Amino acid sequence: MTLTTKPLDPATWNDFARLVEENKGVWGGCWCMSYHPEGIGTHKTPAQNRLEKEAHVRGGTAHAALVFEGDDCVGWCQFGTPVELPKIQNLKAYLSTDPVLPDWRITCTFTGKGHRRKGVAEAGLKGALEQIARLGGGRVEAYPEDCTDRKVAAAFLFHGAMAMFARHGFERSRQIGKHRWVMEQFVDPE
């Protein structure tokens, strides 16, 4: 399987939207809005999340490396600045460490049904780091799960696995949840 990546932007919006729709809005209609300032919740419909995500994409305040197999979008890796993506999981524990905010955050990955465990998340992460380099680089944080000695369903690894981030040069910084860590690396600009 040959995988390529492209930025999420107005030109690729329809590819992203098709994948989300094929996967029932992702997590019941999230549309990858959970980490944006508006967030998600019971007061919001999947249609509202879709409209807000599209507005972010068209406004340049949503970033992701979309993963393609041929012409089909099969996954993504979302990243952005802390202003664009302020709502990370385990935020209270994160803030208790008195962090210096990074230049970029990688908040989630998604792989469509039928494509899991085929390297899509890995390709998305690689594509996100390449895009971050083109956007000026800087310090990047991610918040993956430690899966050592425990089985985690791929569908629940939307933050990614620590081992995957380690393969791409990330190092553990601090623990912020039972199995969640802050991992960091510096990406040189292109």
Side-chain angles (χ1 to χ4, degrees), residues 5 16 22 32 40 42 58 81 101 110 125 135-136 150 188:
T5 62
F16 171 80
E22 287 172 357
C32 211
I40 59 172
T42 56
R58 298 202 184 282
T81 67
L101 294 179
F110 179 78
L125 176 56
L135 292 167
R150 68 189 191 98
D188 290 323

Side-chain angles (χ1 to χ4, degrees), residues 47-188:
Q48 287 172 302
N49 291 334
R50 183 189 199 284
L51 288 172
E52 288 174 358
K53 186 66 172 193
E54 186 172 8
H56 276 289
V57 170
R58 298 202 184 282
T61 57
H63 296 89
L66 299 183
V67 181
F68 287 81
E69 181 181 13
D71 292 333
D72 295 325
C73 183
V74 296
W76 68 77
C77 179
Q78 177 174 257
F79 67 95
T81 67
V83 171
E84 294 168 347
L85 302 171
K87 294 187 172 197
I88 61 171
Q89 287 191 329
N90 304 94
L91 183 60
K92 186 176 179 180
Y94 176 85
L95 292 174
S96 75
T97 65
D98 197 23
V100 173
L101 294 179
D103 298 299
W104 300 96
R105 286 181 163 156
I106 295 176
T107 55
C108 65
T109 63
F110 179 78
T111 302
K113 290 178 185 171
H115 300 281
R116 295 185 180 134
R117 301 209 183 271
K118 296 179 181 177
V120 173
E122 194 106 23
L125 176 56
K126 182 177 182 285
L129 294 172
E130 289 168 353
Q131 287 183 41
I132 288 169
R134 283 193 293 275
L135 292 167
R139 192 165 62 85
V140 181
E141 281 185 352
Y143 316 99
E145 294 273 333
D146 184 358
C147 301
T148 307
D149 298 327
R150 68 189 191 98
K151 196 170 190 158
V152 181
F156 291 98
L157 279 176
F158 51 90
H159 288 292
M162 282 181 53
M164 178 180 74
F165 283 90
R167 285 191 298 274
H168 288 271
F170 282 80
E171 295 182 358
R172 287 183 192 206
S173 171
R174 59 204 180 278
Q175 193 167 5
I176 57 171
K178 184 175 181 181
H179 300 289
R180 188 173 323 285
W181 285 75
V182 176
M183 293 187 79
E184 302 177 326
Q185 85 155 273
F186 187 85
V187 174
D188 290 323

